[in-house]
Amino acid sequence: MSEDLQPRGPGPAMNLDNLRLITHVVYGLHAFALLTAIFGAATILASFIGTLPSIAAVILNYYKRASARGTWLESHFRWQIRTFWFALLWFVVGWALIFTVIGFFIGLGVLIVAGLWVLYRVARGWWTLGQGETMPMPPPVV
């Protein structure tokens, strides 16, 4: 067996170069969604979680996640998936606060900070992938 191939559950093994390319594509789709927001009328957070490129990226993450299991790219898949879902969570929290009227400015602050956080996560993840390094992964919950 070649060093590039890792055994995976029931599916066929996938070449690490292909997985790395898929990981770049996912970061690229997320970055495209963010750039659309920056240069368009949408907010960063709404564009990240609600546009076709980001939705396609998270679907691709879930579809190929099993192939990345056990490789150094697994941390990037987890990073990308967690970025999407936490962005969605903060989007809902921010808008819920905005609609309470009392929390309007807090909600706006949550949306702004979460948007900047998403920009950071995509940039850091893509940069780290380019360096051939893993993303930090939290320890497993016991």
Side-chain angles (χ1 to χ4, degrees), residues 35-84:
L35 287 174
T36 302
I38 291 170
F39 295 113
T43 64
I44 291 173
L45 208 51
S47 183
F48 181 76
I49 61 172
T51 59
L52 189 57
S54 274
I55 293 169
V58 82
I59 290 170
L60 187 57
N61 271 138
Y62 278 109
Y63 184 70
K64 293 296 184 180
R65 181 169 65 168
S67 298
R69 195 160 285 127
T71 70
W72 68 276
L73 292 168
E74 179 180 10
S75 65
H76 284 277
F77 277 72
R78 180 179 170 132
W79 180 269
Q80 293 165 336
I81 290 169
R82 288 174 60 93
T83 300
F84 180 85

Side-chain angles (χ1 to χ4, degrees), residues 22-128:
I22 289 167
T23 311
H24 276 292
V25 167
V26 170
Y27 280 123
L29 287 168
H30 284 313
F32 179 75
L34 293 172
L35 287 174
T36 302
I38 291 170
F39 295 113
T43 64
I44 291 173
L45 208 51
S47 183
F48 181 76
I49 61 172
T51 59
L52 189 57
S54 274
I55 293 169
V58 82
I59 290 170
L60 187 57
N61 271 138
Y62 278 109
Y63 184 70
K64 293 296 184 180
R65 181 169 65 168
S67 298
R69 195 160 285 127
T71 70
W72 68 276
L73 292 168
E74 179 180 10
S75 65
H76 284 277
F77 277 72
R78 180 179 170 132
W79 180 269
Q80 293 165 336
I81 290 169
R82 288 174 60 93
T83 300
F84 180 85
W85 289 114
F86 276 105
L88 179 61
L89 171 71
W90 290 115
F91 179 80
V92 169
V93 168
W95 277 103
L97 286 168
I98 286 172
F99 284 122
T100 64
V101 180
I102 296 169
F104 180 81
F105 291 109
I106 296 170
L108 227 79
V110 166
L111 293 176
I112 290 168
V113 169
L116 295 173
W117 177 79
V118 166
L119 285 170
Y120 159 77
R121 297 270 296 191
V122 171
R124 180 178 178 200
W126 210 355
W127 172 262
T128 305

Side-chain angles (χ1 to χ4, degrees), residues 7-25:
R8 314 265 182 285
M14 180 172 247
N15 184 305
L16 276 180
D17 289 336
N18 291 343
L19 272 176
R20 188 174 182 165
L21 176 63
I22 289 167
T23 311
H24 276 292
V25 167

